[in-house]
Amino acid sequence: MCPPADSPTATGPPDRHTLRLLERHLAREDLIANTAFDPNPHEPRLLHAHFDTTHYPASTTAVRLDVRWFTTGDFSLHYVETSTDAQWECRWDRHPNPHNTRVHFHYPPDSDDVTDLSLPSHHPLEVYSTVLDAIEQRLTDHWE
């Protein structure tokens, strides 16, 4: 059961305008093969960005970024690499929670370890840029 909308632990309804804005930017990225809204483009609650796996080792079978953005300014950007033998994931979050500050990062490889996160801005395009920079840095550090 979800908390009431005025609860201090509620993230609020999806911010469809921001999800569409982020989809337009992700769709233009060279690393992205395609994007999709869940459940549909008319009432999006979740944005999936599927990466072109040719930028990754042959054992990588899928790479995606799942984006949730809420009218409260809360968000979750969950990056997942799936390979034939493992899954590597991390997450940038802003939401009320009992484990850390509202803005926090879940470390790879399994997102279990969490630390407080300081972002220069919570504007959607700034957060998007921070996350894409981190993903591109991972590619450069590990496979290019």
Side-chain angles (χ1 to χ4, degrees), residues 45-139:
R45 287 191 292 264
L46 173 64
L47 168 61
H48 301 285
H50 301 274
F51 285 67
D52 178 352
T53 57
T54 61
H55 299 283
Y56 294 81
S59 62
T60 304
T61 58
V63 181
R64 73 177 196 277
L65 179 66
D66 295 332
V67 180
R68 294 177 188 276
W69 208 281
F70 303 93
T71 57
T72 57
D74 288 339
F75 56 80
S76 176
L77 287 89
H78 186 192
Y79 177 73
V80 181
E81 295 172 7
T82 304
S83 66
T84 53
D85 59 346
Q87 184 164 295
W88 190 96
E89 60 187 295
C90 59
R91 197 169 73 231
W92 294 260
D93 286 343
R94 181 181 188 270
H95 64 87
N97 67 83
H99 55 76
N100 282 81
T101 62
R102 187 177 197 99
V103 182
H104 54 278
F105 178 72
H106 295 256
Y107 280 101
D110 54 18
S111 292
D112 286 344
D113 293 328
V114 184
T115 189
D116 295 344
L117 180 62
S118 176
L119 295 172
S121 168
H122 296 152
H123 186 279
L125 293 178
E126 292 290 330
V127 174
Y128 157 83
S129 179
T130 297
V131 170
L132 261 287
D133 287 350
I135 293 168
E136 289 172 352
Q137 189 62 52
R138 173 168 167 74
L139 286 169

Side-chain angles (χ1 to χ4, degrees), residues 7 16 43 47:
S7 165
R16 293 182 178 104
E43 297 293 324
L47 168 61

